[in-house]
Amino acid sequence: MSVRILTIKEDILGANEEKAKMNRELADQHHILMINITSSPGAGKTSLIMQTIARLKNKARMAVIEGDIASSIDADKVSKEGIPAIQINTAGACHLDANMIRKALDNLDLGQTDLVFIENVGNLICPAEFALGAHKHVLLLSVPEGDDKPRKYPLMFTQADVILINKIDVLPYFDFDMGAFSESVGGLNPAAKVLPISAKTGEGLEQWFSWLEGALDRRK
Ligand code: MG
């Protein structure tokens, strides 16, 4: 499957909320679950998506919108698995916006799609300010980044429905305090589901798959 690359400059801020609402309505018309995945660069968003594709390939028709400042490295990986992938190059912007998502959706066969993952630009700050129209927000934080991130980037943690702590396979080598992390998240966003995982070893991923399957079932 070939990857379409769209280079789109960021839109004027004010119109974003309205466009995000329209994206959500478009997804709803097609009974599509749209999930916005955010994290710092290198936390494992693409690895998580690849594991999820491998697991859910026969259960849900997936598509991925990849946001990066440049390149189509991530979209190429997804596309190799036979999953439709749209690469958005943001021409320097540190986040995706609703207009970019609309253009990507217009390039997907929505009638043949159940689940759209939006892999946002790796950044814990800017993407929190821009609604995309996604139904759920998944925030990925990796162990090497440290347990203090919820206190440093509270907005992003406040918005998340699910917080995945990735790379738990390297926990013995880092001073990541799970208790301190859970306490910070609990103070900001007690409703968020916190799941420790390793996208590399597969540890903990069952919980993620079952949350996702539950969310998919509720869409139908
Ligand atoms: Mg990636």
Side-chain angles (χ1 to χ4, degrees):
M1 215 173 260
S2 66
V3 170
R4 272 184 218 175
I5 304 179
L6 311 176
T7 300
I8 309 166
K9 292 227 162 148
E10 67 182 301
D11 206 11
I12 295 153
L13 239 164
N16 192 67
E17 290 289 329
E18 190 52 36
K19 286 184 180 167
K21 211 176 129 216
M22 286 160 66
N23 288 345
R24 167 92 67 120
E25 284 164 7
L26 182 62
D28 287 343
Q29 279 165 25
H30 295 277
H31 306 285
I32 291 171
L33 175 67
M34 197 152 63
I35 296 186
N36 183 16
I37 305 179
T38 51
S39 79
S40 312
K45 295 184 296 301
T46 312
S47 301
L48 176 78
I49 289 170
M50 297 306 287
Q51 288 272 17
T52 307
I53 287 170
R55 174 58 181 264
L56 293 186
K57 218 172 176 175
N58 299 322
K59 291 185 181 169
R61 296 167 298 176
M62 291 173 273
V64 182
I65 300 171
E66 292 284 356
D68 285 290
I69 286 173
S71 88
S72 65
I73 295 168
D74 289 352
D76 292 341
K77 283 185 197 164
V78 168
S79 185
K80 265 193 197 128
E81 300 303 312
I83 300 296
I86 304 287
Q87 179 74 53
I88 297 175
N89 286 155
T90 60
C94 56
H95 58 86
L96 293 173
D97 66 29
N99 186 48
M100 296 173 187
I101 296 306
R102 177 54 193 250
K103 291 197 173 144
L105 290 173
D106 286 344
N107 278 274
L108 287 169
D109 187 351
L110 299 181
Q112 297 299 318
T113 308
D114 305 310
L115 173 60
V116 172
F117 288 116
I118 301 167
E119 182 178 340
N120 217 311
V121 180
N123 187 316
L124 283 179
I125 308 160
C126 320
E129 309 277 352
F130 290 83
L132 304 179
H135 299 94
K136 297 286 179 192
H137 289 89
V138 174
L139 171 54
L140 203 61
L141 176 93
S142 65
V143 165
E145 292 169 66
D147 55 58
D148 58 356
K149 293 299 169 289
R151 284 180 286 137
K152 288 188 167 180
Y153 306 102
L155 183 58
M156 193 67 106
F157 283 84
T158 305
Q159 292 174 349
D161 296 292
V162 177
I163 298 168
L164 299 172
I165 308 173
N166 191 24
K167 308 190 189 179
I168 53 166
D169 49 302
V170 298
L171 261 178
Y173 309 103
F174 290 89
D175 297 324
F176 189 97
D177 185 336
M178 281 285 179
F181 180 82
S182 300
E183 206 174 298
S184 307
V185 170
L188 288 166
N189 182 359
K193 206 173 174 67
V194 179
L195 304 175
I197 63 156
S198 168
K200 188 175 179 186
T201 67
E203 195 180 346
L205 282 179
E206 284 309 318
Q207 299 175 83
W208 156 245
F209 296 141
S210 72
W211 176 85
L212 188 56
E213 288 183 68
L216 265 171
D217 287 344
R218 283 189 293 276
R219 293 298 302 150
K220 284 170 190 163

